[in-house]
Amino acid sequence: MTFVSLLYGVFLLAVLAIYWLIQSQWLRLWILLLASVIFYGSIQIYYIPLLFALTFFNFRLGLILGKRSLLRLNSKDWRLSNQEWQKVQENWDKKRLRFLWLGIFLNVFLLFGFKYVPFFLNSIASLFNLPVIKEQATWLNLQLIAPLGISFFCFECISYLIDVYRGAPATGNFLKFSTYKLFFPKLISGPITRYHHLAAQLNTLRFPSTNQIVEGLWLIACGAVKKALIADRIGILVGVSFDNLERAGSGDLWLATFAYGLQLYLDFSGYVDIALGTALLLGLNLPQNFDFPYFTTSIAEFWRRWHITLGDWLRNYLYFPLGGSRQGLGRTCFNLLVVMLIAGIWHGAAWGFVAWGAYHGIALVIHRLTETLSDNVSILKKWWQTIPGIVLAWAITQLMVFTSWIFFRLPNLQDSTWVFTHLWGHQADVQFAQKVYLEAIGLQREEITLLLWAIVGIMGLIFALHRRLKLQLNWPIKIMLVPLSLYAVWMLAPKQGLPYIYFDF
């Protein structure tokens, strides 16, 4: 069962009907949990016990971390002197820190075990020329299938444990915690959601208003159009282009890179739109994950508007604990590099993702150095605020972002390096245009280029209406467009839809 399918539509309608007909909040939690199990079980039923075990472990550990003190549990505690009281409290704080590290270690260990062991063994085998280990890595890679959403799942668990350690209340309600952890709209690809953000809403579930219902349906329709009608069509071009690298010319590689950047954004933001729309119909609000990231003028701003919940997680649980920007420019640059390297590794087990993280880390460092220089040189600071400066900043940012996606699409460094070294001056095979563009797509390269730029133009128009003019469609227009959008997806989307890209991460 995937979001863009008739089965999901029937499933969602059934869940909504049962969910809102029941008046008990407690039973609604059970309905949500059961629906989440059914949804995940339709894809990977054999990993459901593991998810529940991991959920229970983090729940119990949260209860331990939530105990601010072991005192007041014994009637003799009042006899302790202030010094003894302080000593006991210090010892307990040290134990709480050890429990926190235990939780972080086990979550990371589980993530590492499923996603990175074959990659780690392959790297060791290649470095020391050990064919036996390479064979074991190959076998593990074929046999070991990571649970869908395990990266998002573990990051949410870690954030919950750290929040509780920092002073947020731990929940004693396992049903509510399980509902939060397994909530099906966000389970596989986010957005990454903090427990206390969702728990407060679960305490006061209310039937959505007319505007919320329309907005939920509109988000689902928009997500379906983005994913099935546009991203999957672009994905056909990207697939045939990158699968025929050595026959492609430099212009073809640039076009495929540009197309993949659009496909990735529309695919992932389409997923999130459907997740947010589904949650709204269930009376819940999930955090936003995208805010027109391709219209940013710096890499720092890009990361504030691309995969927003991951960026927030990286800032709150890595960047700030490392010292953030409080310990000088050199340490700030080091922290940025470390955080982005971890972000790259989180996305996948291949050197291409490490290179992607390093690429973004270096870009963030250059931006921080440029920003520091501009703050000290008033002429330079003013120039970046002029129209030519803004356009140049936008062009540099997006060039960096789009070329970085090459590592995403081709995480094998041999392939991605080949693309980078052939982006200029490389002639295409004489039959490439015929085989790829005309036979596979049915359009000339120039026509495809115009269509892709038309998509960017539409995105720019929506950006101008939303962000600049603050204009929104009213709910009668949205409710009229919803069935038309879904019908268009039904009739015009590719028959064999592509899997969501972030399912691999």
Side-chain angles (χ1 to χ4, degrees):
M1 186 192 309
T2 61
F3 274 175
V4 185
S5 67
L6 181 60
L7 181 59
Y8 181 76
V10 174
F11 165 78
L12 180 57
L13 288 174
V15 171
L16 289 171
I18 300 171
Y19 180 77
W20 289 119
L21 283 173
I22 293 173
Q23 298 301 313
S24 168
Q25 301 281 46
W26 178 75
L27 287 177
R28 282 178 181 166
L29 292 180
W30 276 108
I31 294 299
L32 281 183
L33 183 58
L34 180 60
S36 300
V37 170
I38 292 172
F39 177 79
Y40 195 88
S42 69
I43 307 172
Q44 284 186 335
I45 193 171
Y46 42 87
Y47 278 132
I48 289 176
L50 174 67
L51 295 183
F52 270 108
L54 186 59
T55 299
F56 182 74
F57 167 77
N58 284 280
F59 168 76
R60 293 296 303 172
L61 197 56
L63 290 177
I64 296 173
L65 292 173
K67 295 177 181 178
R68 307 303 301 169
S69 173
L70 284 183
L71 302 177
R72 299 186 304 276
L73 299 179
N74 191 311
S75 60
K76 297 180 181 180
D77 288 343
W78 64 273
R79 298 179 182 176
L80 295 175
S81 66
N82 288 337
Q83 292 80 4
E84 291 172 324
W85 185 290
Q86 186 176 4
K87 185 66 175 177
V88 171
Q89 187 62 48
E90 288 175 356
N91 290 336
W92 173 237
D93 287 340
K94 291 178 182 178
K95 288 182 179 179
R96 287 180 69 243
L97 182 59
R98 287 197 288 269
F99 278 120
L100 174 64
W101 278 113
L102 172 66
I104 294 173
F105 171 78
L106 289 178
N107 279 289
V108 172
F109 179 78
L110 181 73
L111 187 58
F112 179 85
F114 275 108
K115 290 186 66 173
Y116 303 104
V117 168
F119 166 67
F120 179 75
L121 293 177
N122 261 322
S123 301
I124 295 295
S126 300
L127 184 63
F128 296 103
N129 192 23
L130 300 171
V132 176
I133 294 181
K134 193 172 184 65
E135 289 177 7
Q136 294 295 321
T138 303
W139 182 85
L140 276 175
N141 200 36
L142 294 173
Q143 300 297 321
L144 193 63
I145 301 174
L148 284 175
I150 189 66
S151 299
F152 292 89
F153 196 95
C154 289
F155 265 30
E156 283 189 344
C157 289
I158 291 172
S159 69
Y160 172 71
L161 296 178
I162 294 176
D163 285 347
V164 171
Y165 177 80
R166 289 172 174 175
T171 179
N173 188 329
F174 183 63
L175 173 61
K176 186 183 295 184
F177 187 72
S178 301
T179 303
Y180 151 73
K181 282 304 305 143
L182 300 173
F183 187 44
F184 68 92
K186 70 170 184 64
L187 178 57
I188 298 177
S189 290
I192 300 171
T193 308
R194 294 188 184 185
Y195 168 76
H196 298 90
H197 169 83
L198 203 60
Q201 301 177 58
L202 291 172
N203 288 334
T204 57
L205 287 172
R206 294 288 185 274
F207 189 80
S209 65
T210 301
N211 284 337
Q212 288 175 318
I213 293 173
V214 173
E215 188 63 24
L217 294 172
W218 173 247
L219 284 170
I220 291 173
C222 288
V225 169
K226 284 182 181 180
K227 163 61 180 170
L229 206 56
I230 307 177
D232 284 358
R233 287 288 182 189
I234 297 174
I236 296 173
L237 166 66
V238 173
V240 294
S241 296
F242 280 127
D243 290 343
N244 295 275
L245 283 180
E246 296 185 359
R247 301 180 65 186
S250 296
D252 305 307
L253 295 175
W254 277 110
L255 182 59
T257 299
F258 176 45
Y260 181 68
L262 293 178
Q263 180 200 1
L264 180 63
Y265 168 71
L266 292 166
D267 186 281
F268 193 18
S269 68
Y271 175 97
V272 173
D273 284 348
I274 297 175
L276 267 60
T278 299
L280 269 178
L281 296 178
L282 293 165
L284 299 166
N285 285 288
L286 293 178
Q288 292 290 335
N289 220 25
F290 293 95
D291 184 17
F292 299 100
Y294 288 157
F295 295 95
T296 53
T297 55
S298 74
I299 190 63
E301 186 186 2
F302 172 84
W303 269 103
R304 286 190 289 269
R305 289 162 54 179
W306 169 275
H307 207 339
I308 296 170
T309 55
L310 175 62
D312 287 344
W313 195 99
L314 293 171
R315 278 189 295 274
N316 288 314
Y317 303 109
L318 278 177
Y319 181 65
F320 292 149
L322 286 172
S325 57
R326 301 186 302 273
Q327 300 179 17
L329 183 60
R331 180 59 183 269
T332 298
C333 294
F334 173 78
N335 292 342
L336 290 171
L337 279 172
V338 170
V339 168
M340 292 315 301
L341 280 172
I342 293 174
I345 294 169
W346 176 82
H347 276 91
W351 284 109
F353 294 112
V354 177
W356 174 86
Y359 194 10
H360 274 264
I362 292 170
L364 284 168
V365 168
I366 293 173
H367 169 261
R368 182 55 63 97
L369 295 174
T370 304
E371 190 177 51
T372 301
L373 179 62
S374 298
D375 288 339
N376 295 320
V377 181
S378 59
I379 296 176
L380 187 59
K381 186 174 184 178
K382 291 178 181 178
W383 188 85
W384 286 115
Q385 296 171 355
T386 63
I387 292 178
I390 292 171
V391 172
L392 179 61
W394 173 80
I396 292 173
T397 300
Q398 301 314 318
L399 177 65
M400 179 268 149
V401 169
F402 274 80
T403 52
S404 76
W405 296 139
I406 294 172
F407 293 115
F408 252 54
R409 184 58 177 81
L410 302 169
N412 184 314
L413 277 183
Q414 185 176 354
D415 294 333
S416 51
T417 302
W418 193 96
V419 172
F420 273 103
T421 56
H422 290 78
L423 287 174
W424 290 272
H426 182 64
Q427 296 296 319
D429 185 290
V430 292
Q431 294 184 336
F432 184 85
Q434 175 70 28
K435 294 292 184 183
V436 171
Y437 299 123
L438 292 179
E439 294 185 11
I441 311 297
L443 296 170
Q444 297 281 1
R445 185 172 73 179
E446 294 76 14
E447 295 171 323
I448 295 172
T449 304
L450 287 174
L451 281 175
L452 294 179
W453 277 111
I455 293 171
V456 175
I458 294 171
M459 291 166 57
L461 178 61
I462 296 172
F463 171 73
L465 292 174
H466 278 240
R467 295 294 298 271
R468 301 305 180 193
L469 301 179
K470 309 297 182 183
L471 296 178
Q472 295 276 353
L473 295 175
N474 57 34
W475 75 263
I477 295 177
K478 286 182 178 179
I479 202 64
M480 180 183 67
L481 291 176
V482 166
L484 294 177
S485 300
L486 295 177
Y487 181 73
V489 169
W490 175 266
M491 296 300 296
L492 302 176
K495 299 303 179 185
Q496 297 296 327
L498 300 177
Y500 281 101
I501 295 174
Y502 256 75
F503 278 15
D504 292 335
F505 305 146

